Coordinates of all heavy atoms in Angstrom, one line a residue:
M27 N 0.9 -1.2 0.0 CA 0.0 0.0 0.0 C 0.9 1.2 0.0 O 1.9 1.3 0.7 CB -0.9 0.0 1.2 CG -1.8 1.2 1.3 SD -3.2 1.0 2.5 CE -2.4 0.7 4.0
S28 N 0.5 2.2 -0.8 CA 1.3 3.4 -0.8 C 0.3 4.6 -0.5 O -0.9 4.4 -0.6 CB 1.9 3.7 -2.2 OG 0.9 3.9 -3.2
Q29 N 0.9 5.6 0.0 CA 0.0 6.8 0.4 C 0.1 7.8 -0.8 O 1.1 8.2 -1.2 CB 0.5 7.3 1.7 CG -0.5 8.2 2.3 CD -0.1 8.4 3.8 OE1 1.1 8.4 4.1 NE2 -1.1 8.7 4.6
Q30 N -1.1 8.2 -1.2 CA -1.2 9.2 -2.3 C -1.6 10.5 -1.6 O -2.5 10.5 -0.8 CB -2.3 8.7 -3.3 CG -2.4 9.7 -4.5 CD -3.3 9.2 -5.5 OE1 -3.6 8.0 -5.5 NE2 -3.8 10.0 -6.4
K31 N -0.9 11.6 -2.1 CA -1.2 12.9 -1.5 C -2.6 13.4 -2.0 O -2.9 13.3 -3.1 CB -0.1 13.8 -1.8 CG 1.2 13.5 -1.2 CD 2.2 14.6 -1.6 CE 3.5 14.2 -0.9 NZ 4.6 15.2 -1.2
L32 N -3.3 14.0 -1.0 CA -4.5 14.7 -1.5 C -4.1 16.1 -2.0 O -3.1 16.6 -1.6 CB -5.4 15.0 -0.2 CG -6.1 13.8 0.4 CD1 -7.0 14.3 1.5 CD2 -6.9 13.1 -0.6
R33 N -4.8 16.5 -3.0 CA -4.6 17.8 -3.6 C -5.8 18.6 -3.6 O -6.9 18.2 -4.0 CB -4.2 17.6 -5.1 CG -2.9 16.9 -5.3 CD -2.6 16.8 -6.8 NE -3.6 16.0 -7.5 CZ -4.2 16.3 -8.5 NH1 -4.1 17.5 -9.1 NH2 -5.1 15.5 -9.1
L34 N -5.7 19.8 -3.0 CA -6.8 20.8 -3.1 C -6.5 21.7 -4.3 O -5.4 22.2 -4.4 CB -6.8 21.6 -1.8 CG -7.9 22.7 -1.7 CD1 -8.2 22.9 -0.2 CD2 -7.6 24.0 -2.3
V35 N -7.5 21.8 -5.2 CA -7.3 22.6 -6.4 C -8.4 23.7 -6.4 O -9.6 23.5 -6.4 CB -7.5 21.7 -7.7 CG1 -7.2 22.6 -8.9 CG2 -6.5 20.6 -7.6
L36 N -7.8 24.9 -6.4 CA -8.7 26.1 -6.5 C -8.7 26.6 -8.0 O -7.7 26.7 -8.6 CB -8.1 27.3 -5.7 CG -8.6 28.7 -5.9 CD1 -10.1 28.8 -5.4 CD2 -7.7 29.7 -5.2
C37 N -9.9 26.8 -8.5 CA -10.0 27.3 -9.9 C -9.9 28.9 -9.8 O -10.5 29.6 -9.1 CB -11.4 27.0 -10.5 SG -11.5 27.6 -12.2
M38 N -8.9 29.3 -10.7 CA -8.7 30.8 -10.8 C -9.1 31.1 -12.3 O -8.6 32.1 -12.8 CB -7.2 31.1 -10.6 CG -6.7 30.8 -9.2 SD -7.3 32.0 -7.9 CE -6.4 33.5 -8.4
G39 N -9.9 30.4 -12.9 CA -10.3 30.6 -14.3 C -11.1 31.8 -14.5 O -11.6 32.5 -13.5
K40 N -11.3 32.2 -15.7 CA -11.9 33.5 -16.0 C -13.4 33.6 -15.6 O -13.9 34.7 -15.3 CB -11.8 33.9 -17.5 CG -12.4 32.9 -18.4 CD -12.0 33.4 -19.9 CE -12.5 32.4 -20.9 NZ -12.1 32.8 -22.2
T41 N -14.1 32.5 -15.4 CA -15.5 32.5 -14.9 C -15.5 32.6 -13.4 O -16.1 33.4 -12.8 CB -16.3 31.3 -15.4 OG1 -16.2 31.3 -16.8 CG2 -17.7 31.4 -15.0
C42 N -14.7 31.7 -12.8 CA -14.6 31.6 -11.3 C -14.1 32.9 -10.7 O -14.4 33.3 -9.6 CB -13.8 30.4 -10.8 SG -14.6 28.9 -11.0
N43 N -13.2 33.5 -11.5 CA -12.5 34.7 -11.0 C -12.9 36.0 -11.7 O -12.2 37.0 -11.8 CB -11.0 34.6 -11.0 CG -10.3 35.5 -10.1 OD1 -10.8 35.9 -9.1 ND2 -9.0 35.9 -10.5
A44 N -14.1 35.9 -12.3 CA -14.6 37.0 -13.2 C -14.6 38.4 -12.5 O -14.3 39.4 -13.1 CB -16.0 36.7 -13.8
R45 N -15.0 38.4 -11.3 CA -15.0 39.6 -10.5 C -14.0 39.7 -9.4 O -14.1 40.3 -8.4 CB -16.4 39.8 -9.9 CG -17.5 40.0 -10.9 CD -18.9 39.9 -10.3 NE -18.9 38.6 -9.7 CZ -20.0 38.0 -9.2 NH1 -21.2 38.6 -9.3 NH2 -20.0 36.8 -8.6
G46 N -13.0 38.8 -9.5 CA -11.9 38.8 -8.5 C -12.3 37.9 -7.3 O -11.7 38.0 -6.3
D47 N -13.4 37.1 -7.5 CA -13.9 36.4 -6.3 C -12.9 35.3 -5.8 O -13.0 34.9 -4.7 CB -15.2 35.7 -6.7 CG -16.3 36.7 -6.9 OD1 -16.2 37.9 -6.5 OD2 -17.4 36.3 -7.4
A48 N -12.1 34.8 -6.7 CA -11.1 33.8 -6.3 C -9.9 34.3 -5.7 O -9.1 33.6 -5.0 CB -10.8 32.9 -7.5
E49 N -9.6 35.6 -5.8 CA -8.4 36.2 -5.3 C -8.2 36.1 -3.8 O -7.2 35.7 -3.3 CB -8.3 37.7 -5.7 CG -8.2 37.9 -7.2 CD -7.0 37.5 -7.9 OE1 -6.0 37.3 -7.2 OE2 -7.0 37.3 -9.1
P50 N -9.3 36.5 -3.0 CA -9.1 36.3 -1.5 C -9.0 34.9 -1.1 O -8.4 34.6 -0.1 CB -10.4 37.0 -1.0 CG -11.4 37.0 -2.1 CD -10.6 37.1 -3.4
L51 N -9.6 34.0 -1.9 CA -9.4 32.5 -1.6 C -8.0 32.1 -1.8 O -7.4 31.4 -0.9 CB -10.4 31.7 -2.5 CG -11.8 32.1 -2.5 CD1 -12.6 31.3 -3.5 CD2 -12.4 32.1 -1.1
Y52 N -7.4 32.6 -2.8 CA -6.0 32.3 -3.1 C -5.1 32.8 -1.9 O -4.3 32.1 -1.4 CB -5.5 32.9 -4.4 CG -4.1 32.7 -4.7 CD1 -3.6 31.6 -5.4 CD2 -3.1 33.7 -4.3 CE1 -2.3 31.4 -5.7 CE2 -1.8 33.5 -4.5 CZ -1.4 32.4 -5.2 OH 0.0 32.2 -5.5
T53 N -5.4 34.0 -1.6 CA -4.6 34.6 -0.5 C -4.7 33.8 0.8 O -3.7 33.6 1.5 CB -5.0 36.1 -0.3 OG1 -4.9 36.8 -1.5 CG2 -4.3 36.8 0.9
R54 N -5.9 33.4 1.1 CA -6.1 32.7 2.4 C -5.5 31.3 2.3 O -4.9 30.8 3.3 CB -7.6 32.5 2.7 CG -7.9 31.9 4.0 CD -7.3 32.8 5.2 NE -7.6 32.2 6.4 CZ -6.8 32.3 7.5 NH1 -5.7 32.9 7.4 NH2 -7.1 31.7 8.6
L55 N -5.5 30.7 1.1 CA -4.9 29.3 1.0 C -3.3 29.5 1.2 O -2.7 28.6 1.8 CB -5.2 28.7 -0.3 CG -6.6 28.2 -0.4 CD1 -7.0 27.8 -1.9 CD2 -6.9 27.0 0.5
V56 N -2.8 30.5 0.6 CA -1.3 30.7 0.8 C -1.0 30.9 2.3 O -0.1 30.3 2.8 CB -0.8 32.0 0.0 CG1 0.6 32.3 0.4 CG2 -0.9 31.7 -1.5
E57 N -1.9 31.7 3.0 CA -1.7 31.9 4.5 C -1.8 30.5 5.2 O -1.0 30.3 6.2 CB -2.7 32.8 5.0 CG -2.5 34.3 4.6 CD -3.7 35.2 4.9 OE1 -4.7 34.7 5.4 OE2 -3.6 36.4 4.6
R58 N -2.7 29.7 4.8 CA -3.0 28.5 5.6 C -2.0 27.3 5.1 O -1.6 26.5 6.0 CB -4.4 28.0 5.4 CG -5.5 28.9 6.0 CD -5.6 28.8 7.5 NE -5.7 27.5 8.1 CZ -6.8 26.8 8.3 NH1 -8.0 27.3 8.0 NH2 -6.8 25.6 8.8
L59 N -1.8 27.2 3.8 CA -1.1 26.0 3.3 C 0.3 26.3 2.6 O 0.9 25.4 2.2 CB -2.0 25.3 2.3 CG -3.4 24.8 2.8 CD1 -4.2 24.3 1.7 CD2 -3.2 23.8 3.9
G60 N 0.6 27.5 2.5 CA 1.9 27.9 1.8 C 1.6 28.1 0.3 O 0.5 28.1 -0.1
M61 N 2.7 28.2 -0.4 CA 2.6 28.5 -1.8 C 2.1 27.3 -2.6 O 2.4 26.1 -2.2 CB 3.9 28.9 -2.4 CG 4.5 30.2 -1.9 SD 3.3 31.6 -2.2 CE 3.3 31.7 -4.0
P62 N 1.3 27.5 -3.6 CA 0.8 26.3 -4.4 C 1.9 25.7 -5.3 O 2.9 26.3 -5.5 CB -0.3 27.0 -5.3 CG 0.2 28.4 -5.5 CD 0.8 28.8 -4.2
H63 N 1.6 24.5 -5.7 CA 2.4 23.8 -6.7 C 3.8 23.5 -6.1 O 4.8 23.4 -6.8 CB 2.6 24.6 -8.0 CG 1.3 24.8 -8.7 ND1 0.7 23.9 -9.4 CD2 0.5 25.9 -8.7 CE1 -0.5 24.4 -9.9 NE2 -0.6 25.6 -9.4
D64 N 3.8 23.3 -4.7 CA 5.1 22.9 -4.1 C 5.2 21.4 -4.1 O 5.0 20.7 -3.1 CB 5.2 23.5 -2.7 CG 6.5 23.2 -2.1 OD1 7.4 22.7 -2.7 OD2 6.7 23.5 -0.9
F65 N 5.6 20.8 -5.3 CA 5.6 19.4 -5.4 C 6.8 18.7 -4.8 O 6.9 17.5 -4.6 CB 5.6 19.0 -6.9 CG 4.3 19.5 -7.6 CD1 4.4 20.4 -8.6 CD2 3.1 19.1 -7.1 CE1 3.2 20.8 -9.2 CE2 1.9 19.5 -7.7 CZ 2.0 20.4 -8.8
R66 N 7.8 19.6 -4.3 CA 8.9 19.0 -3.6 C 8.6 18.8 -2.1 O 9.3 18.1 -1.4 CB 10.1 20.0 -3.7 CG 10.6 20.2 -5.1 CD 11.5 21.3 -5.1 NE 10.7 22.5 -4.7 CZ 11.2 23.7 -4.3 NH1 12.5 23.8 -4.2 NH2 10.5 24.7 -4.0
S67 N 7.4 19.3 -1.7 CA 7.0 19.2 -0.3 C 6.9 17.8 0.1 O 6.3 17.0 -0.6 CB 5.8 20.0 -0.1 OG 5.3 19.7 1.2
K68 N 7.3 17.4 1.3 CA 7.1 16.1 1.8 C 5.8 16.0 2.6 O 5.5 15.0 3.1 CB 8.3 15.7 2.7 CG 9.6 15.5 1.9 CD 10.6 14.7 2.6 CE 12.0 14.6 1.9 NZ 11.9 14.1 0.5
A69 N 5.2 17.2 2.8 CA 3.9 17.2 3.5 C 2.9 16.3 2.8 O 2.9 16.2 1.6 CB 3.4 18.6 3.6
L70 N 1.9 15.8 3.6 CA 0.9 15.0 3.0 C -0.1 15.8 2.2 O -0.9 15.2 1.4 CB 0.2 14.1 4.1 CG 1.0 13.0 4.6 CD1 0.3 12.3 5.8 CD2 1.4 12.0 3.6
I71 N -0.1 17.1 2.5 CA -1.1 17.9 1.8 C -0.4 18.9 0.8 O 0.7 19.3 1.1 CB -2.0 18.7 2.8 CG1 -1.1 19.5 3.7 CG2 -2.9 17.7 3.6 CD1 -1.9 20.3 4.7
R72 N -1.1 19.2 -0.2 CA -0.6 20.2 -1.2 C -1.8 20.8 -1.9 O -2.9 20.2 -2.0 CB 0.4 19.6 -2.1 CG -0.1 18.5 -3.0 CD 1.0 18.0 -3.8 NE 0.5 17.1 -4.9 CZ 1.2 16.3 -5.6 NH1 2.5 16.3 -5.4 NH2 0.7 15.6 -6.6
W73 N -1.6 21.9 -2.5 CA -2.6 22.5 -3.3 C -2.1 23.2 -4.5 O -0.9 23.4 -4.7 CB -3.4 23.5 -2.4 CG -2.7 24.8 -2.1 CD1 -1.7 25.0 -1.2 CD2 -3.0 26.0 -2.7 NE1 -1.3 26.3 -1.2 CE2 -2.2 27.0 -2.1 CE3 -4.0 26.5 -3.6 CZ2 -2.2 28.3 -2.5 CZ3 -4.0 27.8 -3.9 CH2 -3.1 28.7 -3.4
E74 N -3.1 23.4 -5.4 CA -2.7 23.9 -6.8 C -3.8 24.8 -7.2 O -4.9 24.9 -6.6 CB -2.7 22.7 -7.8 CG -1.8 21.6 -7.4 CD -2.1 20.3 -8.3 OE1 -2.7 20.4 -9.4 OE2 -1.8 19.2 -7.8
I75 N -3.5 25.6 -8.3 CA -4.6 26.4 -8.9 C -4.8 25.8 -10.3 O -3.9 25.1 -10.9 CB -4.2 27.9 -9.0 CG1 -2.9 28.1 -9.8 CG2 -4.2 28.5 -7.7 CD1 -2.6 29.5 -10.0
A76 N -6.0 26.0 -10.8 CA -6.4 25.5 -12.2 C -7.0 26.6 -12.9 O -7.5 27.6 -12.4 CB -7.3 24.3 -12.0
N77 N -7.1 26.5 -14.2 CA -7.8 27.5 -15.1 C -9.2 27.2 -15.3 O -10.0 28.0 -15.7 CB -7.0 27.6 -16.4 CG -5.7 28.3 -16.3 OD1 -5.5 29.2 -15.5 ND2 -4.7 27.8 -17.0
C78 N -9.6 25.9 -15.1 CA -11.0 25.5 -15.2 C -11.2 24.1 -14.6 O -10.3 23.3 -14.9 CB -11.5 25.6 -16.6 SG -13.3 25.3 -16.7
L79 N -12.3 23.9 -13.9 CA -12.6 22.6 -13.3 C -13.9 22.1 -13.8 O -14.5 21.2 -13.3 CB -12.6 22.7 -11.8 CG -11.3 23.0 -11.1 CD1 -11.5 23.3 -9.6 CD2 -10.3 21.9 -11.2
N80 N -14.4 22.7 -14.9 CA -15.6 22.2 -15.6 C -16.8 22.3 -14.7 O -17.7 21.5 -14.9 CB -15.4 20.8 -16.1 CG -14.4 20.8 -17.2 OD1 -14.3 21.6 -18.1 ND2 -13.5 19.8 -17.1
H81 N -16.9 23.3 -13.8 CA -18.1 23.6 -13.1 C -18.3 25.1 -13.1 O -18.6 25.7 -12.0 CB -17.9 23.1 -11.6 CG -17.9 21.6 -11.5 ND1 -19.0 20.8 -11.5 CD2 -16.8 20.8 -11.3 CE1 -18.7 19.6 -11.4 NE2 -17.3 19.5 -11.3
C82 N -18.1 25.7 -14.2 CA -18.1 27.2 -14.3 C -19.3 27.9 -13.7 O -19.2 29.0 -13.2 CB -17.8 27.6 -15.7 SG -16.4 26.9 -16.5
S83 N -20.4 27.3 -13.9 CA -21.6 28.0 -13.4 C -21.8 28.0 -11.9 O -22.7 28.7 -11.4 CB -22.9 27.4 -14.0 OG -23.0 26.0 -13.6
S84 N -20.9 27.3 -11.2 CA -21.0 27.3 -9.7 C -19.8 27.8 -9.0 O -19.6 27.5 -7.9 CB -21.3 25.9 -9.2 OG -20.3 25.0 -9.6
G85 N -19.0 28.6 -9.7 CA -17.8 29.1 -9.1 C -18.0 30.2 -8.1 O -19.1 30.8 -8.0
P86 N -16.9 30.5 -7.4 CA -15.6 29.9 -7.4 C -15.7 28.5 -6.9 O -16.4 28.1 -6.0 CB -14.8 30.8 -6.5 CG -15.5 32.1 -6.4 CD -16.9 31.7 -6.6
N87 N -14.8 27.6 -7.5 CA -14.9 26.2 -7.2 C -13.5 25.7 -6.6 O -12.5 26.2 -7.0 CB -15.1 25.4 -8.4 CG -16.5 25.6 -9.0 OD1 -17.5 25.1 -8.4 ND2 -16.6 26.3 -10.1
I88 N -13.7 24.7 -5.7 CA -12.5 24.0 -5.2 C -12.9 22.5 -5.3 O -14.0 22.1 -5.0 CB -12.2 24.3 -3.7 CG1 -11.6 25.7 -3.6 CG2 -11.4 23.3 -3.0 CD1 -11.4 26.2 -2.2
I89 N -11.9 21.7 -5.8 CA -12.1 20.2 -5.8 C -10.9 19.6 -5.1 O -9.8 20.0 -5.3 CB -12.3 19.7 -7.2 CG1 -13.5 20.2 -7.9 CG2 -12.3 18.1 -7.2 CD1 -13.8 19.7 -9.3
I90 N -11.2 18.6 -4.2 CA -10.1 17.9 -3.6 C -10.0 16.6 -4.3 O -11.0 15.8 -4.4 CB -10.4 17.7 -2.1 CG1 -10.4 19.0 -1.4 CG2 -9.4 16.7 -1.5 CD1 -10.8 19.0 0.1
F91 N -8.8 16.4 -4.9 CA -8.5 15.2 -5.7 C -7.6 14.3 -4.8 O -6.9 14.8 -4.0 CB -7.7 15.5 -6.9 CG -8.5 16.3 -7.9 CD1 -8.4 17.6 -8.0 CD2 -9.4 15.6 -8.8 CE1 -9.1 18.4 -9.0 CE2 -10.2 16.3 -9.7 CZ -10.0 17.7 -9.8
P92 N -7.7 13.0 -4.9 CA -8.5 12.2 -5.9 C -9.9 11.8 -5.4 O -10.5 11.0 -5.9 CB -7.6 10.9 -6.1 CG -6.9 10.7 -4.8 CD -6.7 12.1 -4.3
L93 N -10.3 12.5 -4.3 CA -11.6 12.2 -3.8 C -12.8 12.8 -4.6 O -13.9 12.4 -4.5 CB -11.8 12.7 -2.3 CG -10.7 12.2 -1.3 CD1 -10.9 12.9 0.0 CD2 -10.8 10.7 -1.2
W94 N -12.5 13.7 -5.5 CA -13.5 14.4 -6.3 C -14.5 15.1 -5.4 O -15.7 15.2 -5.7 CB -14.1 13.5 -7.3 CG -13.2 13.2 -8.4 CD1 -12.4 12.1 -8.4 CD2 -13.0 13.9 -9.6 NE1 -11.6 12.1 -9.6 CE2 -12.0 13.2 -10.3 CE3 -13.5 15.1 -10.1 CZ2 -11.5 13.6 -11.5 CZ3 -13.0 15.5 -11.3 CH2 -12.0 14.8 -12.0
E95 N -14.1 15.6 -4.2 CA -15.0 16.4 -3.4 C -15.1 17.8 -3.9 O -14.1 18.5 -3.9 CB -14.4 16.3 -1.9 CG -15.4 16.2 -0.9 CD -14.8 15.9 0.5 OE1 -14.6 14.7 0.8 OE2 -14.4 16.8 1.2
H96 N -16.3 18.2 -4.2 CA -16.4 19.5 -4.9 C -17.1 20.5 -4.0 O -18.1 20.2 -3.4 CB -17.3 19.3 -6.1 CG -17.7 20.6 -6.9 ND1 -18.9 20.8 -7.5 CD2 -16.9 21.7 -7.1 CE1 -18.9 22.0 -8.0 NE2 -17.7 22.6 -7.8
Y97 N -16.5 21.7 -3.8 CA -17.1 22.8 -3.1 C -17.4 23.9 -4.1 O -16.5 24.4 -4.8 CB -16.1 23.3 -2.0 CG -15.7 22.3 -1.0 CD1 -14.6 21.4 -1.2 CD2 -16.4 22.1 0.2 CE1 -14.3 20.5 -0.3 CE2 -16.1 21.2 1.1 CZ -15.0 20.4 0.9 OH -14.7 19.4 1.8
A98 N -18.7 24.3 -4.1 CA -19.1 25.3 -5.1 C -19.4 26.6 -4.4 O -19.6 26.6 -3.1 CB -20.4 24.8 -5.8
H99 N -19.4 27.7 -5.1 CA -19.7 29.0 -4.6 C -18.9 29.3 -3.3 O -19.4 29.7 -2.3 CB -21.2 29.1 -4.3 CG -22.1 28.8 -5.5 ND1 -22.1 29.6 -6.6 CD2 -22.9 27.8 -5.7 CE1 -23.0 29.1 -7.5 NE2 -23.4 27.9 -7.0
V100 N -17.6 29.0 -3.4 CA -16.8 29.2 -2.2 C -16.6 30.7 -1.9 O -16.3 31.5 -2.9 CB -15.4 28.5 -2.4 CG1 -14.5 28.7 -1.2 CG2 -15.6 27.0 -2.7
T101 N -16.7 31.0 -0.7 CA -16.5 32.4 -0.3 C -15.4 32.5 0.8 O -15.0 31.5 1.3 CB -17.8 33.0 0.4 OG1 -18.1 32.2 1.6 CG2 -19.0 32.9 -0.6
P102 N -14.9 33.7 1.1 CA -13.9 33.8 2.1 C -14.4 33.3 3.5 O -13.6 32.8 4.3 CB -13.6 35.3 2.2 CG -13.9 35.8 0.8 CD -15.1 35.0 0.3
K103 N -15.7 33.4 3.7 CA -16.2 32.8 5.0 C -16.2 31.3 5.0 O -16.1 30.7 6.1 CB -17.7 33.3 5.2 CG -17.8 34.7 5.6 CD -19.3 35.1 5.9 CE -19.4 36.5 6.4 NZ -20.7 36.9 6.7
K104 N -16.2 30.7 3.8 CA -16.3 29.2 3.8 C -14.9 28.6 3.7 O -14.7 27.4 4.0 CB -17.0 28.7 2.6 CG -18.5 29.0 2.6 CD -19.2 28.5 1.3 CE -20.7 28.7 1.3 NZ -21.2 28.3 0.0
I105 N -13.9 29.4 3.3 CA -12.6 28.8 3.0 C -11.9 28.1 4.2 O -11.3 27.0 4.0 CB -11.6 29.8 2.3 CG1 -10.4 29.1 1.7 CG2 -11.2 30.9 3.2 CD1 -10.7 28.3 0.4
D106 N -12.0 28.7 5.3 CA -11.3 28.1 6.5 C -11.9 26.7 6.8 O -11.1 25.8 7.2 CB -11.3 29.0 7.7 CG -10.2 30.1 7.6 OD1 -9.1 29.8 7.0 OD2 -10.4 31.2 8.1
G107 N -13.2 26.6 6.7 CA -13.8 25.3 7.0 C -13.4 24.3 6.0 O -13.2 23.1 6.4
I108 N -13.3 24.7 4.8 CA -12.8 23.7 3.7 C -11.4 23.3 4.0 O -11.1 22.1 3.9 CB -13.0 24.4 2.3 CG1 -14.5 24.6 2.0 CG2 -12.3 23.5 1.2 CD1 -14.7 25.4 0.8
V109 N -10.5 24.2 4.3 CA -9.1 23.9 4.6 C -9.1 23.0 5.8 O -8.3 22.0 5.8 CB -8.3 25.2 4.8 CG1 -6.9 24.8 5.4 CG2 -8.2 25.9 3.5
D110 N -9.8 23.2 6.9 CA -9.8 22.4 8.0 C -10.3 21.0 7.7 O -9.6 20.0 8.2 CB -10.8 23.0 9.1 CG -10.2 24.2 9.7 OD1 -9.0 24.5 9.6 OD2 -11.0 25.0 10.3
E111 N -11.3 20.8 6.9 CA -11.7 19.5 6.4 C -10.6 18.8 5.6 O -10.4 17.6 5.8 CB -13.0 19.6 5.6 CG -14.3 19.7 6.4 CD -15.5 19.6 5.5 OE1 -15.5 18.8 4.6 OE2 -16.4 20.5 5.7
F112 N -10.0 19.6 4.7 CA -9.0 19.0 3.9 C -7.8 18.5 4.7 O -7.3 17.4 4.5 CB -8.5 20.2 2.9 CG -7.3 19.8 2.1 CD1 -7.4 18.7 1.2 CD2 -6.2 20.6 2.1 CE1 -6.3 18.5 0.4 CE2 -5.1 20.4 1.3 CZ -5.2 19.3 0.4
I113 N -7.4 19.3 5.7 CA -6.3 18.9 6.6 C -6.7 17.6 7.4 O -5.9 16.7 7.5 CB -5.9 20.0 7.5 CG1 -5.2 21.1 6.7 CG2 -4.9 19.5 8.6 CD1 -5.0 22.4 7.5
A114 N -7.9 17.6 7.9 CA -8.4 16.4 8.6 C -8.4 15.2 7.7 O -8.0 14.1 8.1 CB -9.8 16.7 9.2
H115 N -8.9 15.3 6.5 CA -8.9 14.2 5.5 C -7.5 13.7 5.3 O -7.2 12.5 5.2 CB -9.4 14.7 4.2 CG -10.9 14.5 4.0 ND1 -11.6 13.3 4.3 CD2 -11.8 15.3 3.5 CE1 -12.8 13.4 4.0 NE2 -13.0 14.6 3.5
S116 N -6.6 14.7 5.1 CA -5.2 14.3 4.7 C -4.5 13.5 5.8 O -3.6 12.7 5.5 CB -4.4 15.5 4.4 OG -4.1 16.3 5.5
K117 N -5.0 13.6 7.0 CA -4.3 12.9 8.1 C -4.8 11.4 8.1 O -4.1 10.6 8.7 CB -4.7 13.5 9.5 CG -3.9 14.9 9.6 CD -4.3 15.5 11.0 CE -3.5 16.8 11.1 NZ -4.0 17.6 12.2
T118 N -5.9 11.1 7.5 CA -6.4 9.8 7.6 C -6.5 9.1 6.2 O -6.7 7.9 6.1 CB -7.9 9.8 8.1 OG1 -8.7 10.6 7.3 CG2 -7.9 10.3 9.6
Y119 N -6.2 9.9 5.1 CA -6.4 9.4 3.8 C -5.2 8.5 3.3 O -4.1 8.9 3.4 CB -6.5 10.5 2.8 CG -6.8 10.1 1.4 CD1 -8.0 9.6 1.0 CD2 -5.7 10.1 0.5 CE1 -8.2 9.1 -0.3 CE2 -5.9 9.7 -0.8 CZ -7.1 9.2 -1.2 OH -7.3 8.7 -2.5
T120 N -5.5 7.3 2.9 CA -4.6 6.5 2.2 C -5.3 5.8 1.1 O -6.5 5.6 1.1 CB -4.0 5.4 3.1 OG1 -5.0 4.6 3.6 CG2 -3.2 6.0 4.2
Q121 N -4.5 5.5 0.0 CA -5.2 4.8 -1.1 C -4.2 3.7 -1.6 O -3.0 3.9 -1.7 CB -5.4 5.8 -2.3 CG -6.0 5.1 -3.5 CD -6.4 6.2 -4.5 OE1 -6.7 7.3 -4.2 NE2 -6.3 5.7 -5.8
E122 N -4.8 2.5 -1.8 CA -4.0 1.4 -2.2 C -3.8 1.5 -3.7 O -4.6 2.1 -4.4 CB -4.7 0.1 -1.9 CG -4.8 -0.2 -0.4 CD -5.4 -1.5 -0.2 OE1 -5.3 -2.4 -1.0 OE2 -6.0 -1.7 0.9
D123 N -2.6 1.1 -4.1 CA -2.3 1.0 -5.6 C -3.2 0.1 -6.3 O -3.7 -0.8 -5.8 CB -0.9 0.6 -5.8 CG 0.1 1.7 -5.4 OD1 -0.3 2.9 -5.5 OD2 1.2 1.4 -5.0
Ligands
FES147 S1 -13.6 28.7 -14.8 FE1 -13.7 27.8 -12.8 S2 -14.7 25.9 -13.2 FE2 -14.5 26.8 -15.2

């Protein structure tokens, strides 16, 4: 059994971020989780940004892979709860090859 890292992906695409709605989410994720795309990190958790997650009508969107857990209409008020859940998941998550 190997452990696969969870990835939180924030969409910064032109629909999700049409009015700058994803910008404060990005800022808060940096504060909570560090810089995105840090693939050298040995931490069990990491996060990325995407240009589209194919849920444009419900943005801003976050998806946690490989669980495919989708958070729609994410706001600055919701982001800390999502990060807390993500961290809790990452402590227990393992996936067999
Ligand atoms: S632009 Fe964000 S899901 Fe398409």
Side-chain angles (χ1 to χ4, degrees):
M27 180 165 59
S28 68
Q29 198 164 28
Q30 183 174 344
K31 292 180 181 181
L32 289 185
R33 294 178 297 126
L34 181 153
V35 182
L36 168 68
C37 183
M38 297 285 290
K40 59 184 174 185
T41 305
C42 284
N43 200 29
R45 295 168 303 192
D47 292 347
E49 300 291 340
L51 307 176
Y52 176 89
T53 300
R54 187 62 180 145
L55 287 170
V56 169
E57 290 170 355
R58 294 284 312 268
L59 301 174
M61 293 304 291
H63 302 280
D64 185 4
F65 298 119
R66 296 165 299 160
S67 172
K68 294 199 185 305
L70 287 176
I71 55 176
R72 65 184 189 190
W73 75 283
E74 305 165 22
I75 57 174
N77 289 324
C78 187
L79 294 171
N80 296 317
H81 293 281
C82 304
S83 62
S84 61
N87 291 290
I88 287 175
I89 296 181
I90 295 177
F91 293 100
L93 303 176
W94 289 91
E95 216 168 272
H96 177 215
Y97 298 90
H99 306 292
V100 180
T101 64
K103 285 185 178 179
K104 293 180 180 175
I105 191 71
D106 279 331
I108 293 168
V109 170
D110 290 343
E111 278 186 43
F112 175 56
I113 291 170
H115 267 314
S116 70
K117 288 179 179 168
T118 59
Y119 180 76
T120 57
Q121 180 172 331
E122 292 186 25
D123 286 333

